[in-house]
Amino acid sequence: MLHSDEDKCNVVQLPEGVTPFIYITQNEFLGRKHKKLKEDDVAICECKYDASVPESACVERCLNVITNTECTPGYCQCGATCRNQRFQKCEYAKTKLFRTEGRGWGLLADENIKAGQFIIEYCGEVISSEEAKKRSQAYEAHGLKDAYIISLDANHFIDATRKGSFARFINHSCWPNCETRKWTVLGETRVGIFAKQDISIGMELAYDYNFEWYGGATVQCLCGAANCSIFLGAKSQGFQEYNHVWEDGDVRYTVEEVPLYDSAEDDSLPVIAGTGGRNEQTKILNDSEGSTLKLEPSNTTCKSFNIGSGSTPKKKAQRLPKRKVKSSSRKQVNDGDFAKLFATKEAREEVTMYEHP
């Protein structure tokens, strides 16, 4: 059991068998401190709390809520009644850890959750993309099967492997009932888990991890959804291009479908050189400057082509030496001599008859 006297959000109870980790409710930054929001950068909404209208305290129509920005304490006119400080106040839905069948630990709803409701924040260590790559390789080298790294922005990731919140236990599903959303909280970008639909108590929480597959071994998906993609990352472009089997008649990668460079300034259009037959193995696209694109069939069973760039040297036309052509006179064949070549008299007479009607 982990306790913290400073923050009530840090009081959690872990069931037996859970791999130890440091529970946190706010991201920790590797190499820098939390940003200090400048007063000029504070987003102030126009909400005014009316006790007779509870929905007036920074809810759906609040300008900050619309832009996924939490209100800053001391600047919101709704004061303590502001309902747009869920990340800061750890206003999490009630959840519970449980052991799944074949998928490790998972997180289920311990109360009824409404569609759009904030469930929990995904917390961890904020690291650079370079550090994320190093850690992923280190985890794999040490045989660590469960790593919890998600993307924060183009250059940073959140690693909840050693430090994190219970959001790290939410499993992937191809038919999820939750989704991730990015919010700006006191100048920092933070990731929250929100309900996509109404979730009943006792239901497992899941969201789509949106795996990006960059090669290597394929990992089977065990979510069990009716629309399961079978493999993790199967929806990514890299996975589909690598594993797609081109059907007969698919001409997307034939030379005729390669876009040719065309410009009004060119003296002539590009020329396609090749045999043009069905058994053609190599085709070369030549433009007016002599640069080429060479398309050759790959060694796979797929009907795809490897495209390589280069230039082919221009060969000068080889001139043959001039030779004198001898004039030959046609020899006249004597009919009588030709007729003697036949064995029978009838044949010799017939030849003579046709030559001299």
Side-chain angles (χ1 to χ4, degrees), residues 287-303:
D287 62 16
S288 59
E289 297 180 355
S291 61
T292 64
L293 283 178
K294 186 176 182 181
L295 284 75
E296 298 179 345
S298 64
N299 294 327
T300 64
T301 57
C302 304
K303 293 186 177 181

Side-chain angles (χ1 to χ4, degrees), residues 283-326:
K283 292 187 178 181
I284 299 178
L285 303 183
N286 298 297
D287 62 16
S288 59
E289 297 180 355
S291 61
T292 64
L293 283 178
K294 186 176 182 181
L295 284 75
E296 298 179 345
S298 64
N299 294 327
T300 64
T301 57
C302 304
K303 293 186 177 181
S304 59
F305 289 86
N306 298 322
I307 300 178
S309 62
S311 61
T312 55
K314 295 183 178 179
K315 293 184 178 180
K316 295 183 179 180
Q318 186 177 3
R319 296 184 178 181
L320 297 176
K322 294 183 178 180
R323 294 182 300 174
K324 293 183 178 180
V325 180
K326 295 182 179 180

Side-chain angles (χ1 to χ4, degrees), residues 26-70:
Q26 194 173 122
N27 289 331
E28 294 186 3
F29 293 84
L30 188 68
R32 74 171 179 87
K33 297 181 179 180
H34 284 271
K35 294 179 181 178
K36 291 185 178 181
L37 187 62
K38 297 180 181 180
E39 187 173 3
D40 293 340
D41 297 330
V42 175
I44 302 176
C45 65
E46 299 177 353
C47 302
K48 293 182 179 180
Y49 177 66
D50 184 352
S52 62
V53 185
E55 291 77 12
S56 61
C58 302
V59 285
E60 286 79 6
R61 300 181 65 180
C62 173
L63 294 178
N64 283 344
V65 173
I66 294 173
T67 58
N68 284 14
T69 304
E70 281 206 348

Side-chain angles (χ1 to χ4, degrees), residues 26 90 103 105 107 114 132 146 148 181 186 195 204 220 247 275 308 311 337 347:
Q26 194 173 122
C90 299
R103 294 180 293 116
W105 292 94
L107 198 67
K114 296 181 179 180
D146 297 323
Y148 309 88
R181 297 180 190 174
L186 302 179
E204 181 180 1
Q220 185 177 1
E247 299 177 356
T275 62
S311 61
D337 295 337

Side-chain angles (χ1 to χ4, degrees), residues 202-222:
M203 290 185 63
E204 181 180 1
L205 305 176
Y207 66 93
D208 190 342
Y209 284 3
N210 289 317
F211 281 100
E212 284 294 333
W213 188 83
Y214 298 103
T218 55
V219 180
Q220 185 177 1
C221 179
L222 302 175

Side-chain angles (χ1 to χ4, degrees), residues 92-100 103 105-115 117-120 166-167 169-171 177-178 193-207:
Y92 300 161
K94 292 182 180 180
T95 58
K96 184 178 180 180
L97 280 174
F98 77 106
R99 173 74 76 172
T100 67
R103 294 180 293 116
W105 292 94
L107 198 67
L108 56 80
D110 205 21
E111 66 177 355
N112 293 326
I113 300 175
K114 296 181 179 180
Q117 182 177 338
F118 173 57
I119 299 176
I120 192 173
F166 277 2
F169 293 105
I170 300 178
N171 286 313
N177 53 13
C178 301
I193 309 296
F194 290 78
K196 291 185 63 177
Q197 61 194 49
D198 291 341
I199 302 174
S200 302
I201 184 172
M203 290 185 63
E204 181 180 1
L205 305 176
Y207 66 93

